[in-house]
Amino acid sequence: MKVLVVVDMQNDFIDGALSNTDAQAIVKDIAQLVSSWQGLVVFTRDTHDSHYLDTQEGKYLPVPHCIKDTNGWQINQQIFDSANNNVNAQIVVVDKPTFGAGNLLYDAITKHCVPQEIVFCGTCTDICVVSNVLAIKALLPETPVKVLAHYCAGVTKQKHNAALEVMQSCQAQIIDGKVV
């Protein structure tokens, strides 16, 4: 089965606490992608609690975001509704306490299927996308991993491109352009 991992397309990363115009620009395309996907769709959701600023991440990025059960924590409604309306997709949500979901993502995928390939999109390319791609590539080294560059948004274009280079160096296939 083909697996699509949609990384952290949450309100806080799109138009909330850490809003990003590049993330805003890919919402429609990701919604279209998940609406036609045939297979497993795994949404990762950055998940923090009210003590976020006391964490190591909170000290480096002192902007409370994706606090559990807030609007900013929710997956973008257009994207999530598009996935839920797709009768050919099986939807799973993985709450992750930090950049990469690692074993949480691995367990969510392998519980539902034997992945033939794993395709990634989402935000931020240079933080959470790259962390999850590298973790899955290490945990499933023989499974092809693809990154849809057009369907990813980085903190900056330069960091986005640098992360794509790192992922390609670690044997993820980078796909440019639209796929749907």
Side-chain angles (χ1 to χ4, degrees):
M1 178 182 291
K2 287 176 60 173
V3 177
L4 176 65
V5 179
V6 180
V7 178
D8 296 359
M9 287 302 293
Q10 295 163 265
N11 295 327
D12 269 348
F13 292 121
I14 297 168
D15 55 13
L18 295 170
S19 67
N20 180 326
T21 56
D22 289 340
Q24 293 165 17
I26 63 174
V27 167
K28 182 179 176 186
D29 290 337
I30 292 178
Q32 185 177 8
L33 178 65
V34 299
S35 73
S36 62
W37 190 263
Q38 295 189 16
L40 181 64
V41 177
V42 180
F43 288 95
T44 67
R45 188 165 50 188
D46 198 34
T47 303
H48 303 295
D49 63 22
S50 59
H51 303 288
Y52 170 76
L53 292 176
D54 297 328
T55 67
Q56 181 173 325
E57 179 183 332
K59 291 179 183 1
Y60 282 93
L61 179 61
V63 179
H65 64 282
C66 299
I67 305 301
K68 187 174 183 171
D69 297 326
T70 65
N71 182 59
W73 175 71
Q74 301 296 330
I75 296 167
N76 172 271
Q77 197 66 53
Q78 181 181 357
I79 293 171
F80 202 65
D81 286 349
S82 294
N84 280 322
N85 291 331
N86 179 352
V87 296
N88 297 310
Q90 182 178 6
I91 311 302
V92 174
V93 177
V94 175
D95 291 339
K96 59 185 187 60
T98 189
F99 312 134
N103 287 331
L104 295 171
L105 183 55
Y106 171 86
D107 290 345
I109 292 169
T110 59
K111 175 182 177 182
H112 292 90
C113 70
V114 175
Q116 296 169 322
E117 74 176 18
I118 304 171
V119 179
F120 283 83
C121 65
T123 193
C124 294
T125 317
D126 48 305
I127 302 171
C128 295
V129 175
V130 68
S131 296
N132 285 289
V133 166
L134 296 180
I136 283 300
K137 194 62 187 159
L139 292 166
L140 294 166
E142 295 302 316
T143 303
V145 172
K146 297 179 180 179
V147 178
L148 304 177
H150 174 81
Y151 299 78
C152 291
V155 173
T156 66
K157 296 234 188 274
Q158 296 80 9
K159 289 181 178 186
H160 166 81
N161 290 332
L164 293 173
E165 282 188 39
V166 167
M167 291 183 279
Q168 187 171 28
S169 294
C170 293
Q171 301 176 358
Q173 182 181 357
I174 307 303
I175 308 297
D176 288 321
K178 287 188 174 186
V179 294
V180 289

